[in-house]
Amino acid sequence: MNSAARIEAFLEMMSAERGAAENTLSSYRRDLEDASAEIDGGLAAAADIRGYLDEIAARGFAATSQARKLSAIRQFFKFLYAEGLRGDDPTGTLDSPKKGRPLPKTMSEADTGRLIDRAAQEAADASLNDGDNLAALRLHALVEVLYATGLRVSELVGLPVTVALRDDRFFMVRGKGDKERMVPLSAKARMAMRAWLAARATVPAFADSPFLFPAASDSGYLSRQVFARDLKGLAARAGIASAKISPHVLRHAFASHLLQNGADLRAVQQLLGHADISTTQIYTHVLEERLVRLVNDHHPLAD
């Protein structure tokens, strides 16, 4: 690493030229002094810095902390190079520590069933003459279609009314990048859409709307925020912690439950509308769990 004087010069530059805040300067100081104490010699090489990063990783520092320390070291050596205090920048070839990708939040099949059953019960109790009951029929249709298709919430709320009018087992949806894909509709989802379509027809303001879920909004259809709020309320009434529920969680449940029950990862990629299989690979933990189950259940020596 380098002397305390050079660290002070770097910090002065960060303060005077870049207007770094006091907390930022303190953070740089801690990170650089820690690195300086660990890296021997004034002419640190890339291997020395990599060894230091490996050592702090072994000490249990999170990838985010490792990346922050490397950022401080990078800026420090760039400063030394720019000022002519070093003839090279040893950090140029170093890769940032990879951050672990968090697993998607999802729901168990049992909780998903409770949620949908609650929506179905509220819709069954609904009277078409009451606004609140209209909302119950709409929410049931939204939940059934979301779990049947795995649509993005923006794709779901903006569905054209023709999807319900055709009453087909499959329909085309236009997703990210203006790409179309085919998604399936379960029998229950089609029934829920038909019930909502009948209720929708009783509202004159909805008659000319091209959207399945029209609303008095700038877009002309139900907002994502309203659906998310209604979904959380439904979860609470079903005895499920509302903090754990969102439209995106139901989309993840769709994918996870398909994989748990034998679906192919590539097929799930197509259904979700992921352009790259690497995006779908966040679900590989589900495949791993399924493989363990298969071995434990069927291998003759598993016991």
Side-chain angles (χ1 to χ4, degrees):
M1 197 61 179
N2 292 84
S3 69
R6 291 186 173 185
I7 293 175
E8 289 300 332
F10 168 72
L11 294 174
E12 285 177 14
M13 180 277 295
M14 292 296 292
S15 175
E17 296 183 17
R18 301 191 188 177
E22 206 53 49
N23 286 344
T24 302
L25 293 173
S26 296
S27 177
Y28 279 133
R29 182 185 297 280
R30 285 193 303 272
D31 288 341
L32 292 173
E33 288 179 349
D34 180 62
S36 183
E38 296 291 333
I39 299 173
D40 294 330
L43 297 176
D48 299 321
I49 300 170
R50 172 52 60 202
Y52 165 69
L53 292 172
D54 290 344
E55 192 271 332
I56 63 172
R59 277 156 51 187
F61 280 82
T64 49
S65 297
Q66 296 172 50
R68 189 199 69 234
K69 288 176 179 292
L70 176 57
S71 175
I73 294 169
R74 273 196 174 124
Q75 293 193 63
F76 176 64
F77 278 109
K78 282 179 182 176
F79 163 75
L80 296 181
Y81 179 73
E83 293 295 311
L85 299 173
R86 271 193 71 110
D88 68 327
D89 177 4
T91 66
T93 59
L94 295 177
D95 294 327
S96 295
K98 294 188 182 299
K99 298 178 184 178
R101 193 167 187 178
L103 296 178
K105 290 183 180 178
T106 188
M107 299 173 64
S108 67
E109 291 185 39
D111 279 351
T112 306
R114 282 167 57 201
L115 185 77
I116 293 175
D117 286 348
R118 178 72 192 202
Q121 186 58 55
E122 291 182 3
D125 295 340
S127 161
L128 299 185
N129 298 319
D130 187 284
D132 290 338
N133 292 325
L134 270 175
L137 289 161
R138 182 183 68 189
L139 183 56
H140 181 219
L142 284 161
V143 171
E144 288 280 12
V145 173
L146 178 53
Y147 185 58
T149 61
L151 293 176
R152 298 179 178 94
V153 63
S154 56
E155 297 167 346
L156 174 69
V157 295
L159 281 175
V161 70
T162 50
V163 168
L165 291 173
R166 282 196 299 266
D167 194 26
D168 290 336
R169 292 178 56 212
F170 296 89
F171 67 92
M172 301 297 294
V173 63
R174 193 177 298 277
K176 281 187 177 180
D178 213 29
K179 292 182 179 178
E180 283 194 330
R181 69 184 189 279
M182 182 180 288
V183 293
L185 269 176
S186 66
K188 287 185 176 180
R190 290 164 63 202
M191 286 176 61
M193 279 204 304
R194 284 197 295 268
W196 163 241
L197 203 59
R200 180 185 180 280
T202 67
V203 183
F206 293 168
D208 296 326
S209 173
F211 300 109
L212 179 57
F213 303 108
S217 63
D218 291 340
S219 63
Y221 53 78
L222 185 72
S223 73
R224 294 175 298 169
Q225 293 81 4
V226 170
F227 173 42
R229 181 201 66 200
D230 291 350
L231 184 61
K232 285 183 178 294
L234 175 67
R237 294 191 298 276
I240 301 168
S242 59
K244 296 180 179 179
I245 305 297
S246 72
H248 207 59
V249 169
L250 261 186
R251 174 171 155 88
H252 285 317
F254 161 83
S256 296
H257 298 169
L258 280 176
L259 291 167
Q260 285 168 4
N261 288 283
D264 176 74
L265 191 66
R266 186 71 68 175
V268 172
Q269 175 198 355
Q270 293 172 351
L271 290 169
L272 291 174
H274 288 161
D276 195 308
I277 190 67
S278 63
T279 309
T280 320
Q281 283 171 343
I282 57 173
Y283 298 105
T284 51
H285 69 287
V286 177
L287 292 175
E288 290 164 6
E289 290 168 6
R290 195 178 82 203
L291 287 172
V292 170
R293 260 198 334 269
L294 281 171
V295 171
N296 289 338
D297 291 346
H298 301 293
H299 196 285
L301 300 179
D303 294 336

